[in-house]
Amino acid sequence: MKEMVYQASPEAVQTLHQIRESVHKCCQSCMNRIVRVQTMDGEVYEGMLMGMDHKHLYLSIAQGVDQRQFFPGGVFYPPASSVILPLVLYELLVISLLY
C-alpha cells in the first residue's frame, strides 16, 4: 500500500467541476472569435478560439511578433505561422472578446 500524499476535498472537486462547466458554457458563444485570455499565473494570450473539450480551450496564436491578419468585415485569418495552444479551463482567470 502506498502512502497518500494529497487528496482534494470533495468541496474543492465540486468547485473545480463548476468552474470548468461555467467557463465551457461561456466560451461556446466565442467559438471562432478573437479573444484575450489571462491565466491564473498572469500569462496573457490573444488569438482565435478554435475549439474546446471538457478540459481544454484551444487557442490559435501567432508565433513571435503580432502577425494577426484582418480582412474586410473584421474577419480574422490566423497566420501561417500560428500554433494551437491548449489552455486548461479551470486555470483561466479572464476571457475577453476582442473583435
Side-chain angles (χ1 to χ4, degrees):
M1 172 78 66
K2 296 188 180 201
E3 180 182 349
M4 185 181 308
V5 177
Y6 171 78
Q7 181 174 4
S9 70
E11 296 81 15
V13 172
Q14 181 179 7
T15 299
L16 288 173
H17 280 286
Q18 289 171 346
I19 291 168
R20 186 175 66 186
E21 188 64 27
S22 175
V23 172
H24 194 272
K25 286 180 183 179
C26 290
C27 288
Q28 287 176 337
S29 64
C30 300
M31 197 63 63
N32 299 312
R33 297 185 68 183
I34 307 302
V35 295
R36 177 180 293 136
V37 177
Q38 182 179 352
T39 68
M40 291 176 58
D41 294 329
E43 299 290 332
V44 177
Y45 303 98
E46 287 185 12
M48 181 181 282
L49 179 55
M50 302 300 290
M52 288 183 303
D53 58 29
H54 290 315
K55 296 180 182 179
H56 298 94
L57 174 146
Y58 298 96
L59 195 64
S60 176
I61 61 170
Q63 289 182 324
V65 183
D66 187 4
Q67 303 171 11
R68 292 177 291 174
Q69 302 174 20
F70 291 92
F71 292 91
V75 177
F76 170 82
Y77 294 93
S81 62
S82 65
V83 295
I84 303 296
L85 178 66
L87 299 170
V88 179
L89 288 179
Y90 64 80
E91 290 186 357
L92 305 180
L93 187 58
V94 179
I95 301 171
S96 305
L97 279 174
L98 296 181
Y99 303 98

